[in-house]
Amino acid sequence: GDSVTQTEGLVTLTEGLPVMLNCTYQTIYSNPFLFWYVHYLNESPRLLLKSSTDNKRTEHQGFHATLHKSSSSFHLQKSSAQLSDSALYYCALSDQTGFASALTFGSGTKVIVLP
Amino acid sequence: GPKVLQIPSHQIIDMGQMVTLNCDPVSNHLYFYWYKQILGQQMEFLVNFYNGKVMEKSKLFKDQFSVERPDGSYFTLKIQPTALEDSAVYFCASSPPGGRSAETLYFGSGTRLTVL
């Protein structure tokens, strides 16, 4: 079945520094849909970014990610971390488009941004 | 933005009892989901539901689990009887009708279920 791997369980960094969270996936489907969800403490997980287009950068709220099918990756980046970026970040995969299929989530990366 | 409400936020019950987890999805959404997250692990898909029917379910969706949304009211997950391994946070989600927008899930804040 599908799988999503997030190699960092915890990332701690200083405000203002760049951050990159790794996400790789495995699926037999040739047109996967990749997502980043962010989960702030005491809130609901919410969508941060999504993409199904190979090699096209997608951006939202200062974060960006590019789906690379050749390497099965969808890494999340931000050039300058803010204190408010402290949260749990989940990469997720859907193997169908235009249909409400099940998402496969990674194990999540906890980001702590320090002053 | 649109909000999915989950009631209650915490539930503690004895093993073998029945429990119903309630979800109030976003009003114009047509697809509904339950995900399970055991402490320290990833969220795992349980089931999705559309037009009054289960569309997909995972191996985690045991025979003791059932879902329904009678007459546009709460979308519920019922577990009867509960087992110790059912202890987890259960997230409800919903998504809008049609096309690519159906893939954006709106999550509730979860119900933490503890089975003793």
Side-chain angles (χ1 to χ4, degrees):
Chain A
D2 297 342
S3 67
V4 175
T5 301
Q6 294 180 247
T7 50
E8 307 97 356
L10 172 65
V11 169
T12 306
L13 70 156
T14 305
E15 186 181 19
L17 291 181
V19 58
M20 183 165 104
L21 308 183
N22 290 311
C23 173
T24 56
Y25 63 89
Q26 284 190 315
T27 180
I28 61 171
Y29 295 94
S30 57
N31 293 309
F33 220 106
L34 273 293
F35 305 80
W36 277 100
Y37 278 83
V38 59
H39 191 183
Y40 296 102
L41 191 63
N42 297 324
E43 294 185 15
S44 308
R46 63 176 174 81
L47 180 69
L48 182 58
L49 290 172
K50 64 180 181 180
S51 180
S52 62
T53 307
D54 199 12
N55 298 319
K56 183 180 175 186
R57 174 170 161 146
T58 184
E59 300 190 36
H60 185 63
Q61 294 186 329
F63 288 90
H64 63 92
T66 303
L67 175 60
H68 292 296
K69 292 184 181 179
S70 60
S71 57
S72 299
S73 67
F74 191 58
H75 306 317
L76 181 68
Q77 299 182 66
K78 189 175 187 184
S79 58
S80 175
Q82 299 176 317
L83 296 176
S84 57
D85 294 328
S86 295
L88 266 168
Y89 291 80
Y90 292 100
C91 185
L93 163 75
S94 167
D95 58 24
Q96 297 179 53
T97 57
F99 184 74
S101 65
L103 289 180
T104 300
F105 281 88
S107 53
T109 299
K110 184 174 184 178
V111 173
I112 299 174
V113 182
L114 301 171
Chain B
K3 287 199 184 292
V4 174
L5 301 176
Q6 289 189 243
I7 303 161
S9 57
H10 292 83
Q11 180 99 40
I12 300 173
I13 58 168
D14 291 324
M15 183 177 64
Q17 284 191 316
M18 182 195 76
V19 67
T20 301
L21 307 183
N22 296 299
C23 171
D24 189 10
V26 179
S27 60
N28 65 332
H29 286 187
L30 297 181
Y31 300 92
F32 312 109
Y33 314 77
W34 284 102
Y35 282 80
K36 176 182 179 182
Q37 186 174 36
I38 294 172
L39 186 64
Q41 299 183 22
Q42 66 249 59
M43 264 195 281
E44 292 186 276
F45 170 77
L46 282 177
V47 66
N48 56 14
F49 189 84
Y50 169 73
N51 199 26
K53 295 177 217 164
V54 169
M55 293 192 299
E56 282 180 272
K57 55 185 180 181
S58 73
K59 292 180 297 187
L60 298 178
F61 194 79
K62 305 179 295 184
D63 291 343
Q64 298 88 324
F65 288 38
S66 62
V67 291
E68 63 176 356
R69 192 184 186 217
D71 300 322
S73 61
Y74 286 149
F75 176 52
T76 62
L77 173 65
K78 185 188 292 185
I79 309 173
Q80 181 177 30
T82 51
L84 295 176
E85 61 265 27
D86 298 330
S87 294
V89 178
Y90 291 83
F91 288 96
C92 174
S94 66
S95 62
R100 287 190 167 183
S101 62
E103 293 152 326
T104 298
L105 267 58
Y106 292 80
F107 283 92
S109 54
T111 294
R112 181 176 299 278
L113 176 65
T114 302
V115 182
L116 303 175

